[in-house]
Amino acid sequence: MEWGNFWSSHLPRTSYDIDLDLESPNPNDQGFEKLISGMYLGDIVRRVILRMSQDSDIFGPVSSRLSIPFILQTPLLAAMHEDDSPELKEVDKILKETLEISEVSLKVRKLVVRICDVVTRRAARLAAAGIVGIFEEDRTGWKRRHHWWKK
């Protein structure tokens, strides 16, 4: 099903989503896809980390790599999200190697995992809501088209 261009004012867009959309090659297009697609989730996380880095010193000096769109690809987001090592070594490695953010405390690495969790959980819930909507429309549409079954 092609649903990437679905749009509704009821979709929960954040400032990160709005900025990503405006700076994308296709602004105001593929709205739902930008909220749930693996192509965009890593960049949403990058934008959250960038904002946190600009607003506080939690990551130390702002890394110039945080300003590079799509540098944090979704496979890296998934690797950080799934890191269950006690010291979150994969998170530390990705922050250092990809984003050039070093000397990050375990507490901050846990925060990064939480950010990844929030972004991926929202995407999963939105995708699930879309699937439920399809099934619900199919179910109610079938009843309307086949009202004879009540006779």
Side-chain angles (χ1 to χ4, degrees), residues 6-59:
F6 169 73
W7 186 246
S8 169
S9 61
H10 300 291
L11 290 173
R13 291 194 341 155
T14 66
S15 61
Y16 309 107
D17 301 309
I18 293 165
D19 291 344
L20 182 145
D21 181 41
L22 292 174
E23 296 168 16
S24 74
N26 56 344
N28 300 314
D29 213 14
Q30 299 301 109
F32 195 52
E33 181 173 344
K34 290 173 182 165
L35 297 174
I36 67 170
S37 168
M39 181 174 173
Y40 298 99
L41 297 182
D43 204 57
I44 293 170
V45 169
R46 176 194 65 85
R47 289 166 183 277
V48 172
I49 294 172
L50 174 60
R51 172 91 45 88
M52 290 176 73
S53 190
Q54 292 169 332
D55 291 350
S56 73
D57 62 355
I58 194 168
F59 294 101

Side-chain angles (χ1 to χ4, degrees), residues 120-132:
T120 57
R121 192 176 299 260
R122 179 189 73 158
R125 288 177 174 163
L126 286 169
I131 292 167
V132 167

